[in-house]
């Protein structure tokens, strides 16, 4: 009988803790939506303290760290969320960003590859971000291929500018100028773009 009572008590304590950690998690999400990232961070930490096995709380806190530009802490929390079973594409997109902001471009590329493999259609920006990583890693053909995919769904003037610069380094003046003109027509007034366009595109 004592053992049964002990089990009931344990279940009640776990249940209460679970309710508390879920409450803190929800409150943290509300703070996040209102862009109060420090308050959200505190609430997500309380949720984790109540239930260290809740992967979603680590993911949410990692996002808070990203927004607060604490990228090392973001990577740590995203990795813990992954270890606990969180495997949605957005985790890899966001950890990739944190990696790229700390110059770990190979790891950033690996995460973006995984995000795109898991969900190739959910976020077109993954293709733009991967293109920029490919360009940094001196893989222009791969960068152009990703920008081509991105520009089929997004008329992004900066993406046209970036693609123009890459194809220009490959000697394709005509395509570069077409991209520069498109970027300008879509409202890109970047000084570098205007200077290059005026210099080489007649």
């Amino acid at each position: 009988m004592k053992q049964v009572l002990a089990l009931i008590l344990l279940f009640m304590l776990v249940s209460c803790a679970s309710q508390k950690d879920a409450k803190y998690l929800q409150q943290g999400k509300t703070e996040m939506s209102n862009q109060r990232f420090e308050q959200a961070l505190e609430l997500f930490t309380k949720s984790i303290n109540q239930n260290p096995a809740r992967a979603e709380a680590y993911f949410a806190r990692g996002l808070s760290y990203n927004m607060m530009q604490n990228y090392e802490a973001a990577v740590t929390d995203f990795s813990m969320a992954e270890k606990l079973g969180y495997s949605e594409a957005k985790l890899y997109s966001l950890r990739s960003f944190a990696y790229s902001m700390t110059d770990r471009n190979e790891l950033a590329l690996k995460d973006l590859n995984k995000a795109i493999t898991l969900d190739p259609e959910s976020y077109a920006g993954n293709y733009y971000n991967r293109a920029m990583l490919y360009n940094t890693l001196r893989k222009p053909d791969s960068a152009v291929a990703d920008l081509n995919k991105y520009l089929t769904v997004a008329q992004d003037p900066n993406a046209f500018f970036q693609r123009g610069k890459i194809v220009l380094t490959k000697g394709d003046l005509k395509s570069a100028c077409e991209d520069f003109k498109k970027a300008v027509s879509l409202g890109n007034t970047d000084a570098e773009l205007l200077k290059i366009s005026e210099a080489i595109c007649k």
Side-chain angles (χ1 to χ4, degrees), residues 88 104 110 113 136 176 200-201:
E88 293 185 27
R104 288 176 281 182
K110 182 179 178 182
N113 286 338
T136 299
I200 66 172
C201 301

Side-chain angles (χ1 to χ4, degrees), residues 11-27 43 46-48 50-51 54:
F11 174 79
M12 289 175 64
L13 289 172
V14 170
S15 179
C16 289
S18 178
Q19 290 172 4
K20 275 189 177 181
D21 86 88
K23 179 182 176 183
Y24 288 135
L25 181 60
Q26 189 55 49
Q27 288 174 343
L43 288 161
K46 287 181 178 180
S47 178
I48 289 167
Q50 289 289 326
N51 182 3
R54 186 183 279 271

Side-chain angles (χ1 to χ4, degrees), residues 5-152:
L5 288 172
L7 285 171
I8 293 172
L9 180 59
L10 177 62
F11 174 79
M12 289 175 64
L13 289 172
V14 170
S15 179
C16 289
S18 178
Q19 290 172 4
K20 275 189 177 181
D21 86 88
K23 179 182 176 183
Y24 288 135
L25 181 60
Q26 189 55 49
Q27 288 174 343
K29 289 178 179 180
T30 299
E31 294 296 329
M32 279 281 288
S33 67
N34 291 319
Q35 299 186 22
R36 292 193 286 264
F37 303 120
E38 290 187 11
Q39 292 90 333
L41 185 69
E42 292 176 5
L43 288 161
F44 294 141
T45 299
K46 287 181 178 180
S47 178
I48 289 167
N49 289 340
Q50 289 289 326
N51 182 3
R54 186 183 279 271
E56 188 183 1
Y58 285 100
F59 171 79
R61 192 172 69 174
L63 178 55
S64 296
Y65 280 130
N66 249 3
M67 300 304 296
M68 295 168 68
Q69 300 181 9
N70 187 343
Y71 301 116
E72 294 291 350
V75 166
T76 298
D77 271 358
F78 289 142
S79 298
M80 179 58 75
E82 180 186 33
K83 184 178 179 180
L84 291 170
Y86 197 101
S87 58
E88 293 185 27
K90 59 187 176 181
L91 179 144
Y92 300 102
S93 297
L94 291 165
R95 190 172 65 183
S96 172
F97 175 75
Y99 277 139
S100 68
M101 294 303 292
T102 53
D103 295 321
R104 288 176 281 182
N105 293 323
E106 293 287 355
L107 289 171
L109 180 60
K110 182 179 178 182
D111 268 2
L112 270 184
N113 286 338
K114 187 155 189 176
I116 289 169
T117 298
L118 285 170
D119 195 347
E121 305 299 332
S122 69
Y123 180 54
N126 279 337
Y127 291 102
Y128 177 84
N129 292 335
R130 191 170 68 174
M132 295 301 95
L133 283 171
Y134 277 137
N135 194 43
T136 299
L137 295 167
R138 298 182 182 178
K139 298 179 179 180
D141 291 339
S142 296
V144 169
D146 269 355
L147 285 170
N148 291 342
K149 289 178 185 176
Y150 176 63
L151 286 168
T152 62

